[in-house]
Amino acid sequence: MDTLELTQQLIREPSVTPNDGACQSIIASRLEKSGFTITQYPFGNVKNLWARHGTTAPLFLFCGHTDVVPPGPIDAWKYPPFEPTVIDGQLYGRGAADMKSGVAAMICAAEKFVAKYPHHSGSIAFLITSDEEGDAIDGTQKVLANLPSSDQAIDYCIVGEATSDKKFGDTIKNGRRGSLSGKLTIHGKQGHIAYPHLADNPIHRAFMALHTICEINWDNGDEHFPPTSLQFSNIHSGTGAGNVIPGKLEAHFNLRYSPKQTAEKIRDRIENTLKDYQLNFEIQWTHGAEPFITHPGKLTVALSDAIKKTTGISAELSTTGGTSDGRFIAKTGAQVIEFGVINQSIHQVNENTSVKDLTQLTSIYFETLENLLTQSLSE
Ligand SMILES: [Zn+2]
């Protein structure tokens, strides 16, 4: 069965987070046939799977997720989201790009690799979760904390997320920015709009302070990261009545930050700015993700060479985009990069991927394994 067939089989499972459907049992039975040892790590209603082939170092890990985001309005889809459909060389369905295609490609590549090199050097492992698109609490992070120490010594990791931008093969993610969110409440005193001296208007108080926060030049980024950016996403104040000064203003914001910042530094700077304006405020902080970076080295070269050989394209290293489970693997000290199909349609209706790219992705993963795990074999 090739990558396309396996991807279609996985798309037929409506595995909206944290449901897995039968995805992981399909994966487990295939890897088991190829000689992998399977361990399940269920937590709550989340399913997780660990599979390993080989016992020695270096340990190469494929990381992925079987869950998908909800399809949204079914009527808006050209083809039903959980009935994979191939039209003009494109495969349509929820998870076609994010990331059942990536999961299928890594499985087919590994099957082919262990069949060709049953005595490859090092080990190949899989960490597959059904909790990536959700809270990501009972998924990758928790599996890593529960693995025996021999499985924790990960040297190389490829996450199969859709990273290609305009052309398949053009982008490898070698890091991700951190994410920090704040829910700010500025308190005033409610009153009649004709008697402002008896009230304290939080809208007026907020203007200058929020403007100053927007104008902060956090950093200029560096060779790997774009500049840190703060964006307000929601702002609300007012009772609805035109003659009432409201009692409070609420503003929500998020920062995507480079390793030049820390969450603590950002929190201090924002809170000190608000204090400078003598505001009565509180902030609820949520630290979504810490940033990570894998510097160019053995893993990036092994993957870039495979991409070049298969597609003729020289991939660029990038750290843009949202967060991913790569951040948890990076904490173990492993080199972590992400590479997969084109991400234009992820999380959208009519999510799709090119069938040709699927085949090429499988070859690229296979050749990356060859580049890393066959060097010490005698030809
Ligand atoms: Zn994904």
Side-chain angles (χ1 to χ4, degrees):
M1 201 196 277
D2 67 2
T3 310
L4 172 62
E5 280 174 87
L6 179 55
T7 309
Q8 288 174 307
Q9 196 182 358
L10 294 174
I11 290 174
R12 273 185 214 107
E13 301 295 324
S15 54
V16 175
T17 317
N19 286 329
D20 172 67
C23 291
Q24 289 185 28
S25 42
I26 294 167
I27 293 167
S29 72
R30 287 190 60 141
L31 290 175
E32 210 159 23
K33 268 182 214 144
S34 283
F36 280 76
T37 310
I38 313 288
T39 316
Q40 320 271 2
Y41 288 94
F43 298 111
N45 49 10
V46 172
K47 278 200 217 167
N48 302 289
L49 177 150
W50 175 264
R52 181 165 177 160
H53 190 272
T55 53
T56 56
L59 172 54
F60 177 97
L61 175 68
F62 277 122
C63 188
H65 61 90
T66 48
D67 58 325
V68 294
V69 295
I74 305 281
D75 293 350
W77 285 74
K78 285 195 269 185
Y79 318 103
F82 299 111
E83 291 173 28
T85 308
V86 178
I87 301 284
D88 296 333
Q90 293 294 120
L91 168 66
Y92 290 83
R94 175 57 85 225
D98 184 9
M99 58 167 280
K100 289 178 170 176
S101 46
V103 169
M106 48 179 77
I107 288 162
C108 292
E111 285 171 343
K112 196 175 147 197
F113 183 78
V114 299
K116 186 170 176 188
Y117 304 102
H119 305 294
H120 60 81
S121 57
S123 305
I124 306 172
F126 282 82
L127 199 175
I128 306 289
T129 181
S130 69
D131 183 35
E132 198 274 346
E133 302 287 7
D135 300 335
I137 290 167
D138 287 328
T140 303
Q141 178 170 217
K142 212 173 229 180
V143 176
L144 287 170
N146 284 276
L147 285 175
S149 56
S150 55
D151 285 340
Q152 281 181 8
I154 301 160
D155 296 279
Y156 311 114
C157 172
I158 292 185
V159 184
E161 293 283 3
T163 59
S164 295
D165 179 26
K166 299 204 166 50
K167 266 193 177 163
F168 174 64
D170 63 3
T171 310
I172 296 170
K173 305 265 190 212
N174 65 324
R176 295 275 186 163
R177 291 176 292 177
S179 174
L180 177 68
S181 299
K183 287 184 177 176
L184 165 68
T185 306
I186 295 173
H187 296 284
K189 186 175 179 232
Q190 187 173 319
H192 195 300
I193 210 147
Y195 301 89
H197 56 288
L198 298 177
D200 179 10
N201 194 328
I203 300 178
H204 292 197
R205 286 185 169 275
F207 279 138
M208 287 300 284
L210 300 191
H211 176 72
T212 303
I213 288 170
C214 288
E215 293 289 290
I216 293 174
N217 179 24
W218 294 94
D219 55 60
N220 297 318
D222 60 23
E223 50 176 330
H224 300 296
F225 285 88
T228 296
S229 153
L230 177 145
Q231 296 294 319
F232 280 94
S233 58
N234 286 274
I235 186 158
H236 178 79
S237 186
T239 62
N243 58 356
V244 177
I245 292 169
K248 64 178 181 181
L249 176 141
E250 285 175 348
H252 300 175
F253 56 90
N254 174 268
L255 290 108
R256 294 299 157 112
Y257 68 96
S258 79
K260 290 196 162 177
Q261 304 294 332
T262 63
E264 199 183 359
K265 268 185 0 197
I266 295 170
R267 282 194 291 257
D268 283 352
R269 180 129 185 222
I270 289 179
E271 288 179 4
N272 286 334
T273 304
L274 294 164
K275 281 177 197 158
D276 287 347
Y277 284 92
Q278 293 167 351
L279 297 177
N280 175 12
F281 70 94
E282 65 215 45
I283 307 183
Q284 242 183 289
W285 292 102
T286 306
H287 190 197
E290 272 176 48
F292 74 91
I293 179 81
T294 291
H295 290 284
K298 220 171 167 183
L299 178 61
T300 57
V301 169
L303 177 62
S304 302
D305 285 356
I307 294 170
K308 179 94 190 181
K309 195 173 154 196
T310 306
T311 65
I313 290 176
S314 301
E316 262 182 41
L317 298 178
S318 158
T319 60
T320 57
T323 63
S324 87
D325 275 2
R327 67 190 192 268
F328 302 127
I329 315 275
K331 272 195 181 163
T332 67
Q335 295 180 41
V336 181
I337 54 180
E338 304 176 34
F339 178 70
V341 295
I342 293 176
N343 59 24
Q344 300 279 342
S345 66
I346 59 173
H347 295 206
Q348 301 183 12
V349 300
N350 300 321
E351 181 177 346
N352 68 88
T353 202
S354 145
V355 174
K356 185 180 158 214
D357 295 352
L358 266 186
T359 312
Q360 291 199 330
L361 182 61
T362 311
S363 307
I364 290 167
Y365 287 157
F366 176 83
E367 273 158 29
T368 306
L369 290 173
E370 274 191 334
N371 291 342
L372 290 169
L373 299 183
T374 63
Q375 282 153 346
S376 57
L377 298 181
S378 49
E379 292 295 320

